[in-house]
Amino acid sequence: MKTIKGPGIFLAQFLGDQAPFNDLKSICKWAKGLGYAGVQIPTWATSYFDLQKAAESKTYADEIKGLVNGYGLEITELSTHLQGQLVAVNPAYDALFDGFAPAEYHNNPKARTEWAIQQVKYAAKASQNLGLGASATFSGALLWHTVYPWPQRPAGLVETGFKELAARWLPILNYYDECGVDVCYGIHPGEDLHDGISYEMFLQKVDNHSRACLLYDPSHFVLQCLDYLAYIDNYHERIRMFHVKDAEFNPTGKQGVYGGYQNWIDRAGRFRSLGDGQVDFKSIFSKLSAYDFNGWAVLEWECAIKHPEDGAREGAEFIKDHIIRVTERAFDDFAATGIDENLNKKIIGII
């Protein structure tokens, strides 16, 4: 077994215009001061990190790595959540998702998709240059507007949708394979890959590609009423990344999973700061450790109530307290009798 690395922190929710959140140096110093050991870098924030330059220049990648290491931190992974979302966008969402791309690609879905694919590929090469083995992203969605269909879905619609999704991602997965990097999909409502079954459907279409892996985040499964512990049993061989994020689901006589179009604070399902929700993290850390998860425990802070800086401060200690330093020997080794084949045969009655 391996001891999970951490604590790490996903920087996306903390970026801002004010110090210490306005540049990579300052935010690394802040994260280290809270007790974090690693930072996960969102690649769409160009003022912090130049993704294309990191892909094309090993020197620049080394400089970024050196900067982060200089604060006693490691880069855990790169994230292309926003760009990955744009690899596959149903036209119904074009106006909403244009904001994820530079202005020159707005109102031009074809060009926007090409830009997104190139961005995700840059993340593969940048990860390789940084010495990273996995990168986080979203799958995008062509079918999400039909997830709870009325009228019923036309025959073959899902098959056609996943065939197209796979056609867009397979060349990307192959490029990641060339770079020696895993693509870790955030399994998330709003994506065509939003639960285990949809992931399996995609996996089948990409010929069980070895690089089509998973970012495990239990919070999204709490909100779907999915068994997030059994999920680890089912998919542990594909889990390469771990977002430590809490959530709660408190249905009422007025609303449930879909939330009644309410803001986060008023929904039955809400993301919470670590320890404030319902996720059984002790069991999660135990399962991941037992299954030899060889990655980082990374805080993704999202909470409708608590201040982010308090969530970050508390999150570092929460993750530290849950990381299990795995044992190197069995607890009953003191009673071992050694290897004696004749004794073994005698015990089972064959001599």
Side-chain angles (χ1 to χ4, degrees), residues 173-238:
L173 291 166
N174 288 337
Y175 185 69
Y176 270 74
D177 194 35
E178 292 175 18
C179 295
V181 179
D182 292 325
V183 178
C184 296
Y185 294 103
I187 305 301
H188 188 293
E191 310 302 316
D192 281 343
L193 307 191
H194 58 273
D195 60 11
I197 296 297
S198 55
Y199 170 65
E200 289 179 11
M201 294 168 67
F202 175 75
L203 202 58
Q204 183 181 38
K205 293 297 184 186
V206 295
D207 300 321
N208 292 306
H209 203 291
S210 62
R211 297 296 179 179
C213 296
L214 294 167
L215 162 58
Y216 177 70
D217 181 342
S219 67
H220 298 293
F221 300 149
V222 169
L223 271 55
Q224 293 186 66
C225 302
L226 186 153
D227 187 336
Y228 55 83
L229 296 177
Y231 181 95
I232 298 174
D233 294 327
N234 290 326
Y235 302 114
H236 60 90
E237 293 179 353
R238 291 276 182 169

Side-chain angles (χ1 to χ4, degrees), residues 239-253:
I239 294 173
R240 298 287 190 273
M241 292 176 60
F242 175 24
H243 270 179
V244 190
K245 188 167 72 171
D246 212 341
E248 63 183 358
F249 182 62
N250 300 305
T252 71

Side-chain angles (χ1 to χ4, degrees), residues 49 145 151 220 274:
F49 181 78
H145 65 300
H220 298 293
L274 291 185

Side-chain angles (χ1 to χ4, degrees), residues 11-197:
L11 297 178
Q13 285 83 6
F14 299 94
L15 308 184
D17 297 329
Q18 303 296 319
F21 308 111
N22 56 341
D23 62 60
L24 188 58
K25 290 181 180 180
S26 298
I27 206 167
C28 282
K29 183 178 180 180
W30 168 79
K32 182 62 178 179
L34 294 179
Y36 287 99
V39 292
Q40 188 176 93
I41 297 179
T43 61
W44 56 87
T46 56
S47 61
Y48 290 75
F49 181 78
D50 189 324
L51 177 60
Q52 181 176 350
K53 193 172 181 180
E56 295 176 345
S57 170
K58 182 67 164 62
T59 299
Y60 174 76
D62 287 342
E63 289 172 356
I64 291 293
K65 185 176 181 179
L67 184 158
V68 174
N69 292 166
Y71 288 95
L73 299 166
E74 295 183 45
I75 301 172
T76 66
E77 300 94 4
L78 302 180
S79 158
T80 57
H81 283 87
L82 301 194
Q83 301 99 313
Q85 181 76 63
L86 300 183
V87 170
V89 177
N90 185 280
Y93 296 97
D94 275 338
L96 291 171
F97 282 135
D98 262 353
F100 287 2
E104 58 265 34
Y105 300 107
H106 293 184
N107 302 309
N108 190 340
K110 185 176 184 296
R112 186 189 62 202
T113 298
E114 292 172 354
W115 172 82
I117 289 171
Q118 183 59 69
Q119 285 280 301
V120 177
K121 286 184 174 180
Y122 281 148
K125 190 63 180 178
S127 295
Q128 183 185 50
N129 286 341
L130 290 164
L132 306 175
S135 183
T137 197
F138 278 148
S139 68
L142 301 173
L143 293 166
W144 180 253
H145 65 300
T146 73
V147 70
Y148 197 79
W150 178 252
Q152 62 179 276
R153 287 185 289 258
L157 178 69
V158 173
E159 173 75 13
T160 299
F162 274 91
K163 184 178 179 181
E164 175 62 26
L165 189 68
R168 298 188 190 192
W169 275 103
L170 192 55
I172 301 172
L173 291 166
N174 288 337
Y175 185 69
Y176 270 74
D177 194 35
E178 292 175 18
C179 295
V181 179
D182 292 325
V183 178
C184 296
Y185 294 103
I187 305 301
H188 188 293
E191 310 302 316
D192 281 343
L193 307 191
H194 58 273
D195 60 11
I197 296 297

Side-chain angles (χ1 to χ4, degrees), residues 240-273:
R240 298 287 190 273
M241 292 176 60
F242 175 24
H243 270 179
V244 190
K245 188 167 72 171
D246 212 341
E248 63 183 358
F249 182 62
N250 300 305
T252 71
K254 293 186 176 182
Q255 63 159 299
V257 171
Y258 301 106
Y261 295 113
Q262 299 303 294
N263 293 323
W264 279 111
I265 190 66
D266 297 317
R267 294 186 192 183
R270 306 186 296 193
F271 300 125
R272 298 299 308 276
S273 284

